[in-house]
Amino acid sequence: MHAALPRLLLTPGEPAGIGPELVVRLAHTDLAADLVACADPDLLRRAAARLDLPLELCDDDGRTLGARARGQLRVLPLALAQEETPGHLDARNAAYVLETLTRASDACRAGRFLALVTGPVHKGVINAAGIPFTGHTEFFATRAAADVLMLLAGPHLRVALATTHLPLAAVPAAITPERLRRVLGVLWRGLQRDFGLSAPRIAVLGLNPHAGEDGHLGREELDIIIPTLDALRGDGMHLLGPLPADTAFVPALRAHYDAVLAMYHDQALPVLKAEAFDSGVNITLGLPYVRTSVDHGTALDIAGHNRAELGSLLSAARMALQLSARRAQAT
């Protein structure tokens, strides 16, 4: 008698991108999980045909499985508005993409799945369809009414973002004491709950070059970041910084922290992606369920050409299983 496999819910993301191909490839691994895709079954069948891979689909009935054969995938079916053409965006499918995220979020919040693993979406085509959308993280936070934080993790580095998808010109005004207290609180608790770190060490980057250089290159460090970090240290948090971003990632410093908080999207993610592009995982801390994702985009230029690499999605699925197991042990 096999123990029940953990149930992972998958959303392939943009139908014209590489997400559907990656989901099919994931089904052909020996990952010890019951894989369920919230997607159009015909979309997955067409992706499998392009990859020349067999695919066994059946509707998800909610029952647990003791084993899963390679190429086996269960589905929460949802029909595309328009058949996809790989590599070519179609705004008519934008509502479909958001409906997969809505159904997936609701199913995970209801406890029907152990975790959610998401493929890449294309924010531009969703907005072109007249639907305001800034990203998965913000969408799931609103849906769950949760205080969340984006954390990118590779094998040897974890990077969280104080701001996510903001224009660079809007970042300084967004770095407030209230935001820093909130995001550092979510990061601290997430590292404890999901990564088993009882007293996490967090390196906080400055906003300006050289962390402001005593106010000569900007005053945000002196006026906002340093006073906030000092107050949180008084509450028991182990915080380093603010550190200059250009030296914070050198090997000698990495041994002294468990995660980095960057002030904006492109301040630290190039470092993470340069060293772990094929294995990096996007994690949403603070949700009532585990959510992980690939750390790459839709790759429209290679969609449909059997060239997409599975590494990041496989890492995301493995990370989802690890984080879920750790949460279960802590309860």
Side-chain angles (χ1 to χ4, degrees):
M1 187 73 163
H2 293 286
L5 289 174
R7 283 164 54 80
L8 290 186
L9 185 56
L10 312 171
T11 55
E14 168 54 47
I18 62 173
E21 301 172 39
L22 295 179
V23 168
V24 172
R25 287 191 182 279
L26 186 66
H28 277 268
T29 69
D30 59 0
L31 188 73
D34 176 11
L35 301 177
V36 182
C38 184
D40 188 321
D42 289 333
L43 167 67
L44 299 174
R45 290 189 183 98
R46 288 189 291 268
R50 295 184 190 105
L51 297 173
D52 195 24
L53 290 173
L55 186 64
E56 178 188 340
L57 296 180
C58 64
D59 287 353
D60 178 51
D61 58 10
R63 291 185 295 178
T64 58
L65 296 178
R68 179 184 61 84
R70 287 176 181 263
Q72 182 180 347
L73 189 63
R74 297 207 275 183
V75 183
L76 294 180
L78 185 65
L80 277 170
Q82 182 69 28
E83 182 174 329
E84 81 291 347
T85 300
H88 298 275
L89 298 171
D90 191 328
R92 290 173 291 182
N93 284 326
Y96 157 84
V97 172
L98 289 190
E99 183 59 22
T100 64
L101 303 185
T102 298
R103 290 187 60 183
S105 173
D106 292 351
C108 288
R109 288 166 58 211
R112 293 167 54 195
F113 296 91
L114 187 71
L116 173 61
V117 182
T118 61
V121 297
H122 194 287
K123 290 183 278 292
V125 74
I126 296 173
N127 283 282
I131 307 171
F133 181 79
T134 55
H136 277 114
T137 303
E138 298 85 355
F139 181 90
F140 292 136
T142 300
R143 195 79 191 163
D147 205 359
V148 307
L149 184 66
M150 181 187 292
L151 177 74
L152 280 294
H156 309 293
L157 182 64
R158 304 182 187 102
V159 177
L161 302 178
T163 63
T164 52
H165 302 116
L166 283 182
L168 191 57
V171 170
I175 303 301
T176 63
E178 295 75 19
R179 179 186 287 265
L180 290 178
R181 284 195 294 268
R182 178 183 64 80
V183 299
L184 281 165
V186 176
L187 179 56
W188 181 268
R189 293 186 295 272
L191 291 171
Q192 290 178 319
R193 178 173 68 167
D194 292 340
F195 291 90
L197 300 169
S198 59
R201 303 164 302 167
I202 302 171
V204 180
L205 302 186
L207 173 66
N208 296 294
H210 301 179
E213 201 158 296
D214 296 325
H216 296 289
L217 296 177
R219 292 197 55 85
E220 286 83 0
E221 288 77 14
L222 293 176
D223 296 341
I224 297 170
I225 301 176
I226 291 174
T228 303
L229 298 190
D230 286 343
L232 292 174
R233 290 185 186 106
D235 293 337
M237 285 192 185
H238 186 162
L239 305 172
L240 289 71
L243 302 178
D246 61 350
T247 56
F249 299 99
V250 299
L253 280 177
R254 287 197 191 190
H256 298 286
Y257 57 73
D258 301 300
V260 174
L261 179 70
M263 294 296 109
Y264 55 92
H265 187 279
D266 284 7
Q267 187 179 42
L269 292 196
V271 179
L272 187 285
K273 294 191 177 188
E275 73 170 40
F277 186 74
D278 293 329
S279 58
V281 179
N282 184 339
I283 303 161
T284 306
L285 298 179
L287 287 173
Y289 54 89
V290 170
R291 180 259 168 167
T292 66
S293 184
V294 297
D295 74 341
H296 59 70
T298 53
L300 296 171
D301 56 326
I302 63 171
H305 295 289
N306 199 2
R307 291 167 50 198
E309 296 289 340
L310 182 60
S312 187
L313 184 63
L314 181 57
S315 295
R318 287 173 172 162
M319 179 72 76
L321 294 175
Q322 294 169 10
L323 299 185
S324 299
R326 199 170 282 121
R327 283 196 186 189
Q329 291 171 358
T331 57

